[in-house]
C-alpha cells in the first residue's frame, strides 16, 4: 500500500509494515517514535531510518532526516490510526472491556456467548488471543498497537467475525488499541491498582474513561456495571457524546439483578429485563462471576443479541482459566481454589465468593507483585487479615525488587499471618493446615505459568503445585 493512501499525502513510497521498536524496522516500514516510561523512542529515529524506515510518526519537535516526518502532538494516536488503515479489514464486530478487575473473565465469557449464538468469535487479553480452537499468548493484557492490529486483522482472515478485547489502562493511555471500530465498550469496576504508573486514582480513572470518550464508536453502546461507585462517571462520559448506555447490576436498568442465591456448584440469578423475569442457573460461584456474566451478556445484547437467548446461554458458561478454578481436593477433603486476585478489591471478591461454601476455616495464600503499585500491598494484607481465617504471605513475581521487602509490606497489614517466601512451601503449608471442612484459596497468579524473579521466569503453576502438595 502507498504511504499517500494511508496518510492523505501525495507520497508514493510503498509501505511494507509498521514498527514501534527500531529493531523491528525493515525497508518500507513506518516507524512510530514515542517518549515512553523508560526510554524515548525519538532517540532511535536515525537508526530506524538507517534500517529502512520510509516515514516516522513523531511529535512535531522530533528531528527526522531522510524519511517523511508525520508530525503530530499525539503521535501514538496518529500512528495507530494510520496503521489501522494498513492492517484492515477487521472482524465485523469488536467490543472492548475496561475496569480494574474482571476484564479477562468478561471477554472470555463474551467469546463463549457469541460462540453459543453460532458466531466465529475470539477474545484478546491477559490469556492471549483465544479462538474456538487455539490460544496464543502475547505477554501483555492489551498488546502493543502493531501486535494488536495485526492480530485482529489475522483473526478476520481466519473467518472470525466477532472479537472481544481487554482495554487495560496502560493500553488506553498508550493508544494500543487504536483504529478498530468498537461497537460496544464495557466498564466493570474501578479500585486501587497500577498507581505506580498512573500516579493518582483520578489519572487512573481518566485513562479508563478514554475508552468511552474516544475509543468507542459514536454510534456504539456503553455497557456499565451499575453497582460500582464509578459507574456514574462512565455514564456521564457516554452521555456527553450522546452514546447509549446499557446498565447491568442490582442498580442496573437494562439487566437488573433482582436476586442471587448461591447453590452448591454455582448460583441462581433472577434478572429483570424489559418487563420480563429470567431465572438463570449460573454454573460459576461468587458475586464477582455473576457480575462478569451480566456484563458479558450486556455486551452481546448491545451488539444485537436476543435478551432471552443470551441470558439462557449463561447457564452453559465454562469456567475461566485461573479464576476461582478448583485445582484439587486435598487428602483431608478440603477443596483448593486458584484465583487471579492481585488487588485488594479482587482479594475481597475472591474470599467473599468462597465464604458461603466454607463450613470450617478459609485459608488464603498470596503475595504481591514486584515493580508494581507498592501501596496496594498493605491493603491486600488488611483484606486477607480481616476476611480470611488463616493467612500465609508468600512471593508473587518479585521481579526486580527484594522479595522479603515486598512480603514485609504485605505483612504490615495483617496481624496473624505466617510468612513463607517459597510459594511452593507456602502452598504446601496451607494445604497441610486444612481440615475437611476448610477451603484453601491460592491467590494472585491464576493462569500464570512462571514466577518472575529478577530477569528470570522460573516455571511455576499454582494449579500443578497445589495438586502436587495435595497427595
Ligand atoms: C510501562 C509500560 O506500559 N511499558 C510498556 C510500553 O513501554 P514504553 O512505551 O514506555 O517503552 P520504553 O521502554 O520507555 O521505550 C520507548 C519507546 O522506544 C522504543 N525503543 C526502545 C528501545 C530500543 O532499543 N528501540 C526502540 O525503538 C520502544 O519500542 C518504545 O516505543 O510499551 C512497550 C511496547 O509495547 C511494552 O512492552 C511495555 O510494557 C512493559 C514491559 C510492561 O511491563 N507493561 C505492563 C505494566 C503493562 O502494560 N500492563 C498492562 C496492564 C496489565 C493489567 O492489569 O491487565 C497490560 O496491558 O498488559
Ligand atoms: N467483577 C469483579 N469484581 C471484583 N473482583 C473481580 C471481578 N472480576 C474478577 N475479579 C477478581 O479479579 C481477578 C482477576 O480477574 P480477571 O482476570 O477477569 O480481571 P482483569 O481485569 O482481566 O485483570 P488484569 O488487570 O490483571 O488483566 C479474579 O481472579 C477475581 O479475584
Ligand atoms: N496485569 C497485572 C498482573 C499482576 C499479576 C500478579 N501475579 C503480579 O505479578 O503482580 C500486572 O501486570 O500488574
Ligand atoms: Mg486481564
Amino acid at each position: 500500500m502507498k504511504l499517500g493512501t494511508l496518510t492523505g499525502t501525495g507520497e508514493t513510497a510503498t509501505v511494507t509494515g509498521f514498527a514501534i521498536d527500531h529493531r523491528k524496522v525493515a525497508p518500507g516500514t513506518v516507524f512510530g517514535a514515542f517518549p515512553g516510561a523508560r526510554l524515548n523512542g525519538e532517540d532511535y529515529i536515525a537508526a530506524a531510518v538507517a534500517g529502512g524506515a520510509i516515514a516516522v510518526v513523531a511529535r512535531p519537535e522530533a528531528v527526522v532526516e531522510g524519511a517523511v516526518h508525520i508530525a503530530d502532538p499525539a503521535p501514538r494516536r496518529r500512528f495507530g490510526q494510520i496503521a489501522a488503515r494498513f492492517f484492515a479489514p477487521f472482524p465485523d464486530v469488536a467490543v472492548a472491556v475496561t475496569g480494574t478487575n474482571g476484564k479477562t473473565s468478561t471477554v472470555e465469557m463474551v467469546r463463549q456467548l457469541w460462540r453459543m449464538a453460532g458466531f466465529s468469535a475470539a477474545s484478546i487479553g491477559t490469556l492471549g488471543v483465544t479462538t474456538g480452537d487455539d490460544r496464543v499468548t502475547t505477554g501483555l493484557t492489551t498488546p502493543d498497537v502493531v501486535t494488536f492490529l495485526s492480530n485482529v486483522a489475522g483473526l478476520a482472515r481466519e473467518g472470525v467475525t466477532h472479537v472481544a478485547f481487554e482495554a487495560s489502562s496502560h493500553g488506553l493511555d498508550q493508544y494500543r488499541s487504536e483504529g478498530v471500530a468498537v461497537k460496544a465498550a464495557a466498564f466493570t469496576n474501578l479500585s486501587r491498582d497500577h498507581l505506580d504508573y498512573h500516579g493518582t486514582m483520578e489519572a487512573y480513572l481518566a485513562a479508563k474513561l478514554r475508552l468511552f470518550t474516544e475509543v468507542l464508536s459514536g454510534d456504539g453502546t456503553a455497557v456499565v456495571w451499575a453497582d460500582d461507585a464509578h459507574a456514574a462517571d462512565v455514564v456521564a462520559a457516554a452521555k456527553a457524546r450522546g452514546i447509549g448506555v446499557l446498565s447491568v447490576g442490582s442498580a442496573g436498568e437494562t439487566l437488573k439483578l433482582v436476586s442471587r442465591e448461591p447453590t452448591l456448584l454455582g448460583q441462581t440469578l433472577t434478572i429483570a429485563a424489559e418487563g420480563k423475569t429470567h431465572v438463570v442457573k449460573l454454573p460459576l460461584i461468587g458475586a464477582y462471576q455473576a457480575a462478569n456474566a451480566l456484563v458479558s451478556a450486556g455486551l452481546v445484547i448491545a451488539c444485537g443479541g436476543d435478551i432471552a437467548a443470551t441470558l439462557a446461554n449463561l447457564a452453559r458458561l465454562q469456567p475461566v482459566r485461573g479464576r476461582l478454578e478448583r485445582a484439587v481436593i486435598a487428602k483431608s477433603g478440603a477443596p483448593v481454589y486458584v484465583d487471579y486476585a492481585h488487588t485488594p478489591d479482587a482479594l475481597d471478591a475472591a474470599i467473599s465468593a468462597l465464604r458461603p461454601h466454607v463450613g470450617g476455616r478459609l485459608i488464603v495464600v498470596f503475595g504481591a507483585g514486584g515493580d508494581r503499585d507498592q501501596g496496594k500491598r498493605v491493603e491486600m494484607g488488611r483484606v486477607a487479615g480481616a476476611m480470611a481465617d488463616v493467612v500465609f504471605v508468600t512471593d508473587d513475581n518479585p521481579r526486580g525488587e527484594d522479595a522479603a521487602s515486598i512480603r514485609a509490606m504485605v505483612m504490615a497489614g495483617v496481624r496473624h499471618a505466617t510468612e513463607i517466601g517459597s510459594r511452593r512451601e507456602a502452598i504446601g503449608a496451607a494445604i497441610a493446615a486444612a481440615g475437611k471442612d476448610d477451603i484453601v484459596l491460592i491467590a494472585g497468579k491464576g493462569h500464570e505459568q512462571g514466577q518472575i524473579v529478577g530477569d528470570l521466569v522460573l516455571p511455576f503453576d499454582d494449579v500443578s503445585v497445589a495438586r502436587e502438595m495435595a497427595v
Side-chain angles (χ1 to χ4, degrees), residues 103-104 126 141 166 323:
K103 301 181 293 297
T104 297
T126 314
T141 285
E166 284 183 56
R323 278 63 181 168

Side-chain angles (χ1 to χ4, degrees), residues 126 141 193-194 340 342 368-370 372 376 396-397 399 444-445 448:
T126 314
T141 285
D193 201 8
H194 299 312
Y340 196 45
H342 54 264
R372 293 289 184 271
K376 75 176 176 182
D396 178 351
N397 295 335
R399 301 192 176 85
K445 295 185 76 66
E448 287 179 0

